Every structure is written in structure tokens, then in C-alpha cells.
Amino acid sequence: MWEAKAAPGQAAELERWARAAVRGRDAEIYLGRGPSTGLVVVLLHLGVEGSTSAAGDPPLPDPPDGLIAGSAHAWQFERAPNRLDRSDLLG
């Protein structure tokens, strides 16, 4: 998962950049708006058979200067099994 907060006045341009950056990839784009945080663009990369692994995909390039406030963040996620007890995986 990749997340970045748009710089003031740059929400539409950040969304355009994000769409171009993931063109040709299996990805979903989520746009979030908070009362005081502005637009946040989150890209969820979907891998084989609906997993959230982006294995094999090159990382996203850095957005152009001035499009984001702060820095972009990326995390690796995996789908949780359909069972409640994960103590064996969590230690």
C-alpha cells in the first residue's frame, strides 16, 4: 500500500500523477479526505488471486516536487486468514 498527502491546491494533480504511475498495473486508487488533512491518495496494489502483495512490481516513482506534503509512505500487507485466532503467527 502506498499513501501520500497532497500539497495544498495539488489534489487533482496528485490524483492525475497517481493514475499515470499505476497505468498497466493491477491497482486500485482510493481518495480520502479528512476535515483538516486535505486529500490523501492511497494506492492498493493487488497481486495474483486477489492478494495484496505487489511482488514483482517495481516500486512507484517519487511524485514530482510540490505535489505532496511531507513524504509518501509504503507498506506491505497480506490478507488475514478467515479465522480469528492468529496467535501462532503473532508470537
Side-chain angles (χ1 to χ4, degrees), residues 2-58:
W2 182 92
E3 174 186 6
K5 178 182 173 190
Q10 296 298 315
E13 189 58 34
L14 179 59
E15 181 183 352
R16 279 190 286 279
W17 174 86
R19 291 185 184 283
V22 298
R23 191 168 290 130
R25 297 186 190 193
D26 188 11
E28 294 180 4
I29 298 176
Y30 295 86
L31 306 175
R33 298 181 198 278
S36 64
T37 60
L39 177 80
V40 176
V41 175
V42 178
L43 308 173
L44 174 61
H45 293 279
L46 300 175
V48 177
E49 299 178 5
S51 76
T52 55
S53 172
D57 279 345

